[in-house]
Amino acid sequence: MKKRSYEEMTHIYGRIWILCALGMIFAYPIITCIYYGAWPGWKPVLQGLLGVAPIFWTVGLIEVLTFVPMLGTASSYLAFVTGNLTNLKVPAALTAMENAKVKPGSEEGEVISTIAVATSSIVTTVIIALGVALLVPLTPILNNPAVKPAFDNILPSLFGGLAVVYVSKNWKISVAPLVFMVVLFLLVPSLSGSVGVLVPVGALIAIGSARILYKKGML
C-alpha cells in the first residue's frame, strides 16, 4: 500500500473537519426546530438567505483566494474551521512567519503558520471560555466608559502594528493602496464594515503599483 504524503493527509483530514464543522453548523437550528416543533418553512428561510447569502458567498470566495496562499494548506483548513481569519488567524500566522524569518508558501512557512493558527485557536477557545464564566462579574468593568475606547481600538492597533512592519519594508509599494483606502474610508465611512471585500482590492492596487514602479526602475 502506497504511503500517503503529508500534503495528501492534510487534505483528507482537512476535508473531514470542514464537513464536520458544516454538519455542526446545520445541526443546531435543526435540533432546535425539532425540540420546539417550530419549522419556519422554506419560503421564509430562502427570503432571509436572499438578503445575506450573496454577501457571505462573495466574502468567503475572496477570503479563500486571498488568505490560503498566505496561510498554507493545514493552517487554512484549521483557520476556516475555527473562523475569525481577518481579525486573528491571518495576523497571527503572518507575525509568526515574520518573526521566524520564513516566507509564506515555503515548507517552513507551512509549519510555522500551522503552529501559529493552532495556538491562536487554542488561546481563543480558552479566553472565550473564561469570558463566558466571568461575564457577570466583569460586566461593570466592561461597561465602564473609561475603558470603552480601549476595546474600540483593539483591532486598529493590531493591524497598525502589523502595518508598521510591512510598510517599513516595502513603503514604495504600500503608498498607493494606503492612500486609496484612506481616501475611500474618509469619503465613504460606511465601507468600514466591508473590510473582507476590500482586502483583495488593496492587493490588486499594490500589485499594479509594484509593476509600474518596477518598470520605471524604482524597485
Side-chain angles (χ1 to χ4, degrees):
M1 183 177 178
K2 182 181 176 181
K3 186 177 180 180
R4 295 183 184 273
S5 66
Y6 169 80
E7 192 78 14
E8 291 175 327
M9 294 303 298
T10 299
H11 283 295
I12 290 173
Y13 286 116
R15 290 165 183 164
I16 290 173
W17 284 109
I18 287 287
L19 291 174
C20 288
L22 188 63
M24 292 176 68
I25 291 171
F26 282 104
Y28 181 78
I30 292 173
I31 292 173
T32 302
C33 291
I34 293 174
Y35 181 81
Y36 289 103
W39 296 89
W42 287 108
K43 187 176 180 180
V45 172
L46 293 177
Q47 287 177 341
L49 283 174
L50 189 62
V52 297
I55 299 174
F56 283 102
W57 291 341
T58 304
V59 173
L61 178 61
I62 290 171
E63 285 188 345
V64 170
L65 296 176
T66 306
F67 294 148
V68 169
M70 299 181 187
L71 296 173
T73 307
S75 53
S76 292
Y77 281 118
L78 182 58
F80 278 99
V81 168
T82 55
N84 205 10
L85 280 83
T86 304
N87 298 345
L88 195 60
K89 301 304 189 304
V90 173
L94 292 178
T95 302
M97 286 187 283
E98 177 71 22
N99 292 335
K101 295 180 174 57
V102 297
K103 294 182 178 180
S106 63
E107 292 184 359
E108 296 84 356
E110 170 87 16
V111 173
I112 296 297
S113 176
T114 303
I115 294 173
V117 172
T119 304
S120 174
S121 302
I122 294 170
V123 172
T124 302
T125 303
V126 173
I127 295 299
I128 291 175
L130 290 174
V132 171
L134 300 174
L135 183 61
V136 174
L138 292 177
T139 297
I141 299 175
L142 297 176
N143 291 335
N144 191 323
V147 299
K148 188 176 184 300
F151 288 106
D152 292 340
N153 289 283
I154 289 177
L155 187 58
S157 63
L158 175 64
F159 278 95
L162 287 172
V164 169
V165 176
Y166 288 96
V167 169
S168 63
K169 286 186 173 183
N170 307 286
W171 67 270
K172 292 181 181 179
I173 299 175
S174 64
V175 170
L178 184 61
V179 171
F180 175 82
M181 290 300 173
V182 169
V183 173
L184 180 64
F185 285 125
L186 287 175
L187 295 176
V188 191
S190 60
L191 289 176
S192 59
S194 305
V195 176
V197 177
L198 292 173
V199 167
V201 175
L204 290 174
I205 294 172
I207 293 170
S209 64
R211 181 171 177 78
I212 293 172
L213 291 173
Y214 178 77
K215 283 188 172 183
K216 291 185 176 182
M218 299 175 66
L219 288 180

